[in-house]
Amino acid sequence: MNAKFAINGKQIETERLVLRPFALSDLDDFFAYASEPGVGEMAGWNHHQNKQESMEILQRFVQQDKTVAICLKLDNKVIGSLGVEEYGLEEKLSEFFPYQGRELGFVLSKQHWGKGLMTEAVQAVINYLFDEMHLDFLTCGYYTFNARSKRVQEKCGFKPYRKLISQTRMGTEQETILNLLTNPRKNIKLQFSHPETLIYQD
Ligand SMILES: CC(C)(COP(=O)(O)OP(=O)(O)OC[C@H]1O[C@@H](n2cnc3c(N)ncnc32)[C@H](O)[C@@H]1OP(=O)(O)O)[C@@H](O)C(=O)NCCC(=O)NCCS
């Protein structure tokens, strides 16, 4: 099942980052990376064309309270986002019926790629969700051409779970690997359904 989740004012500090809720005053920073060609597209959405478009999404972030702003301590700028989303196919994936989980999704401003920052952010959010919110599992996906995202997920301990075709918000279809991470502090035993897309190995 999808776990209930809201950021609820929570801030997480890592070595180089502050993870916190978005505010409408983050518009300029948000637009700066959301409008960079080749950032959103790797996560399934077109880069933003204008600030109005970014403002509409930002309002949704603030209202829904499930997308964390990734803020660089060095200059206090928001350089990316990390969504604690509902996982899809909740009705079909019977292995998760007795368990509580969410799906992670993330993007980072291009100029900050390759410095280990997203791994730092994702790892901190995983620790929070498993150790303090006591979630049982997390999923996280990447399009098969997205080697950087694949690597971030590997470094955070995710294991390949299913190979699927997913619909992007750009109206295209992409081959996707969905990864899975179970809470190592719990004894989670999953009875997997739908063997036709399953690639998980214990
Ligand atoms: C995916 C993304 C979040 C990664 O963020 P990041 O901070 O650069 O990630 P990290 O630096 O923590 O790790 C990147 C890893 O990919 C590796 N990498 C970089 N380019 C690569 C390539 N072309 N092929 C394979 N691996 C590559 C890096 O070497 C690093 O691994 P290492 O630590 O073992 O050396 C960032 O590239 C991004 O925002 N991309 C666009 C949006 C996106 O793809 N979101 C994910 C959607 S599923």
Side-chain angles (χ1 to χ4, degrees):
M1 289 169 62
N2 272 297
K4 287 205 176 359
F5 175 78
I7 302 171
N8 238 333
K10 175 75 185 173
Q11 284 210 11
I12 300 173
E13 220 178 288
T14 68
E15 191 190 336
R16 293 173 291 175
L17 303 168
V18 174
L19 309 176
R20 59 151 174 84
F22 269 96
L24 295 182
S25 53
D26 294 321
L27 179 61
D28 288 350
D29 291 350
F30 178 45
F31 176 69
Y33 73 80
S35 60
E36 285 178 277
V39 175
E41 281 81 359
M42 300 299 279
W45 46 272
N46 282 314
H47 62 276
H48 297 183
Q49 299 298 321
N50 53 58
K51 275 198 186 169
Q52 179 56 31
E53 192 181 346
S54 295
M55 189 48 149
E56 282 163 23
I57 311 279
L58 191 57
Q59 281 167 337
R60 221 180 298 155
F61 284 177
V62 171
Q63 188 212 347
Q64 295 179 339
D65 199 30
K66 61 182 169 66
T67 304
V68 174
I70 301 175
C71 190
L72 197 59
K73 275 184 185 171
L74 194 68
D75 57 8
N76 218 23
K77 268 194 185 316
V78 174
I79 57 166
S81 67
L82 205 170
V84 183
E85 309 292 341
E86 295 195 345
Y87 69 91
L89 304 174
E90 187 183 34
E91 300 303 316
K92 290 197 172 150
L93 301 176
S94 56
E95 58 266 40
F96 297 142
F97 287 176
Y99 297 112
Q100 300 281 324
R102 298 287 287 203
E103 179 159 325
L104 302 184
F106 41 78
V107 301
L108 191 71
S109 158
K110 240 181 199 174
Q111 72 181 103
H112 295 287
W113 289 7
K115 300 172 187 165
L117 286 167
M118 191 53 83
T119 303
E120 192 171 314
V122 173
Q123 192 57 66
V125 168
I126 292 172
N127 292 347
Y128 172 68
L129 293 173
F130 280 169
D131 297 346
E132 293 187 46
M133 302 300 289
H134 307 293
L135 263 56
D136 299 311
F137 71 92
L138 291 167
T139 62
C140 193
Y142 63 87
Y143 302 139
T144 45
F145 57 80
N146 193 343
R148 286 187 179 84
S149 182
K150 176 185 183 195
R151 185 74 192 117
V152 169
Q153 295 177 45
E154 268 171 8
K155 287 193 287 181
C156 292
F158 282 93
K159 297 275 183 295
Y161 160 56
R162 290 186 185 275
K163 192 174 194 175
L164 306 158
I165 302 294
S166 57
Q167 311 284 330
T168 74
R169 278 179 236 159
M170 302 181 293
T172 56
E173 292 190 332
Q174 288 296 348
E175 189 180 68
T176 301
I177 301 293
L178 191 60
N179 274 331
L180 174 65
L181 181 63
T182 56
N183 188 336
R185 297 190 200 289
K186 297 189 177 199
N187 187 25
I188 310 287
K189 293 271 178 268
L190 297 168
Q191 301 281 332
F192 291 107
S193 63
H194 296 278
E196 68 280 6
T197 60
L198 191 66
I199 48 173
Y200 193 79
Q201 286 180 335
D202 248 334

